[in-house]
């Protein structure tokens, strides 16, 4: 046999053996690290279990409620913050139910319609279910006010059993933020409602101008809604 070929075979065999030895050493080391970190020598299983634990661990929410509540109560004496919290929870449940049924007929606020439609579009042909929805805590996260507008942010932590395409349900812990606004002086806000999602209470169409006396689409009066009501401006899951 050709001496050069023999030499190449020997070198290849040595390299192959070295790779095998390194592979098993790395695997053993990963197993040791995995056992310390996750309690199992199976590194992949440990990572997956960690991800599942993260999903099932209740989320925390924080805010300046103790400081903001007295200011909010002083500025808006007629506002029942606990009622607003409960209404926020109801809106979240309504959104999740709408995503599950893929129907938005019962959703009035345009902000919620956009959120639900986005979720439905992301699902495509998949079907999901949200069962045993349970709220852990709902707080006033932030209250801010200037000469033109007041803003309230409500944070809530909740859990639900999530199932996709009739597979085994998985407990998911999550958080939502709902932002409400109150127009104090429309003259001090740009005529275009940039960043402010006001909608007609009758047809749900966006209000394009804060100075509008009526809806451009259905003609309903909107002045009282714009000036004297806390309006949902944004919703997000985080």
């Amino acid at each position: 046999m050709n001496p050069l070929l023999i030499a190449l075979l020997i070198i290849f065999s040595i390299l192959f053996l070295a790779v095998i030895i390194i592979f098993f050493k790395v695997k053993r080391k990963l197993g040791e690290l995995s056992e310390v970190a996750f309690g199992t020598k199976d590194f992949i299983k440990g990572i997956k279990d960690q991800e599942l634990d993260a999903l099932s661990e209740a989320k925390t929410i924080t805010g300046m409620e103790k400081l903001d509540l007295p200011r909010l109560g002083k500025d808006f004496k007629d506002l029942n913050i606990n009622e607003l919290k409960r209404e926020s929870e109801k809106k979240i449940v309504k959104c999740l139910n709408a995503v599950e049924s893929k129907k938005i007929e019962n959703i009035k606020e345009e902000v919620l319609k956009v959120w639900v439609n986005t979720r439905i579009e992301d699902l495509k042909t998949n079907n999901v279910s949200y069962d045993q929805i349970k709220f852990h805590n709902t707080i006033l996260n932030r209250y801010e006010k200037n000469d033109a507008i007041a803003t309230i942010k409500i944070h809530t932590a909740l859990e639900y059993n999530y199932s996709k395409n009739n597979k085994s349900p998985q407990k998911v812990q999550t958080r939502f933020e709902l932002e409400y606004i109150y127009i104090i002086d429309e003259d001090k806000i740009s005529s275009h409602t940039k960043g402010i999602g006001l909608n007609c209470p009758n047809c749900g169409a966006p209000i394009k101008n804060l100075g509008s006396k009526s809806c451009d689409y259905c003609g309903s009066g909107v002045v009282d809604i714009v000036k004297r009501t806390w309006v949902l401006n944004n919703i997000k899951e985080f």
Side-chain angles (χ1 to χ4, degrees), residues 4 6 8 12-13 60 73-74 80 117 168 179 184 223 233:
L4 180 59
I6 295 174
L8 288 175
F12 176 78
S13 299
T60 58
K74 181 179 179 181
N80 186 327
N117 277 326
S168 298
E179 179 187 73
I184 298 171
V223 175
N233 185 57

Side-chain angles (χ1 to χ4, degrees), residues 118-166:
T118 300
R119 286 297 184 93
I120 292 175
E121 290 173 4
D122 290 342
L123 287 172
K124 297 180 180 178
T125 60
N126 296 302
N127 295 312
V128 299
S129 65
Y130 300 91
D131 296 320
Q132 299 182 33
I133 301 172
K134 178 182 177 182
F135 289 89
H136 298 305
N137 193 18
T138 302
I139 65 168
L140 169 64
N141 170 260
R142 184 178 302 175
Y143 165 60
E144 296 177 340
K145 183 175 78 74
N146 54 42
D147 292 339
I149 191 171
T151 304
I152 286 176
K153 290 186 178 181
I154 300 292
H155 281 192
T156 184
L158 64 148
E159 69 176 48
Y160 50 73
N161 287 341
Y162 177 80
S163 177
K164 188 173 182 179
N165 295 328
N166 297 319

